[in-house]
């Protein structure tokens, strides 16, 4: 064997030793990456399960809220109808009975006042002023 062949043989042995030394950490790094990949998949599957549960609960909540809003809409519609009817009835009452009722009340007040003045002494020394003051 020549010196070049021995040098080549030593280089090949050194290269095999270097590959052997580097193979162990690379294999350990590969296992670590595999384990990390499994952990990420587990976390992702748990997250998907929790997310689907949360989405289902949110859908149920929205359906319940929608039903309640429909009930409130019906109640509000009925209240609006009642308010409209009461306003119409109030306007009708004011138009038909308001004027005569005010006149009757004013007449009754005048009669009461005249009777009270008569009872107190026939109106001696007492004068009535227009506008209601005594």
């Amino acid at each position: 064997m020549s010196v070049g062949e021995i040098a080549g043989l030593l280089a090949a042995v050194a290269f095999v030793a270097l590959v052997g030394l580097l193979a162990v950490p690379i294999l350990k790094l590969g296992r670590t990456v595999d384990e990390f990949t499994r952990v990420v998949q587990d976390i992702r599957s748990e997250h998907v399960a929790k997310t689907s549960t949360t989405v289902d609960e949110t859908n149920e909540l929205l359906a319940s809220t929608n039903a309640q809003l429909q009930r409130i809409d019906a109640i509000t519609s009925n209240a609006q109808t009642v308010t409209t009817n009461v306003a119409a009835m109030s306007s009708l009452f004011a138009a038909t009975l308001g004027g005569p009722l005010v006149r009757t009340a004013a007449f009754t007040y005048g009669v009461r006042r005249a009777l009270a003045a008569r009872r107190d002494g026939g109106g001696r020394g007492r004068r009535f002023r227009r506008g209601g003051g005594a």
Side-chain angles (χ1 to χ4, degrees):
M1 278 201 182
S2 71
V3 174
E5 291 176 347
I6 293 177
L9 186 61
L10 283 175
V13 170
F15 183 73
V16 168
L18 181 65
V19 168
L21 288 174
L22 290 177
V24 173
I26 289 174
L27 289 174
K28 286 184 179 181
L29 180 64
R31 287 187 206 136
T32 304
V33 169
D34 290 342
E35 188 66 29
F36 183 72
T37 303
R38 273 188 242 124
V39 168
V40 168
Q41 287 174 347
D42 290 345
I43 290 172
R44 185 175 289 163
S45 66
E46 287 178 19
H47 180 69
V48 167
K50 287 180 182 178
T51 302
S52 67
T53 302
T54 304
V55 168
D56 292 342
E57 290 174 357
T58 303
N59 286 338
E60 290 176 13
L61 178 65
L62 287 174
S64 173
T65 302
N66 198 14
Q68 294 297 327
L69 285 175
Q70 288 175 352
R71 289 181 186 160
I72 290 172
D73 187 40
I75 291 169
T76 304
S77 176
N78 291 339
Q80 184 178 9
T81 303
V82 168
T83 303
T84 303
N85 291 342
V86 168
M89 191 173 285
S90 174
S91 297
L92 178 66
F93 178 76
T96 56
L97 298 177
L101 197 60
V102 168
R103 288 186 191 123
T104 304
F107 177 75
T108 306
Y109 177 73
V111 169
R112 270 192 5 219
R113 194 153 175 208
L115 288 176
R118 215 169 179 208
R119 220 180 296 140
D120 288 342
R124 287 185 231 146
R126 193 171 201 193
R127 290 192 178 174
F128 293 104
R129 284 186 260 155
R130 283 189 173 233

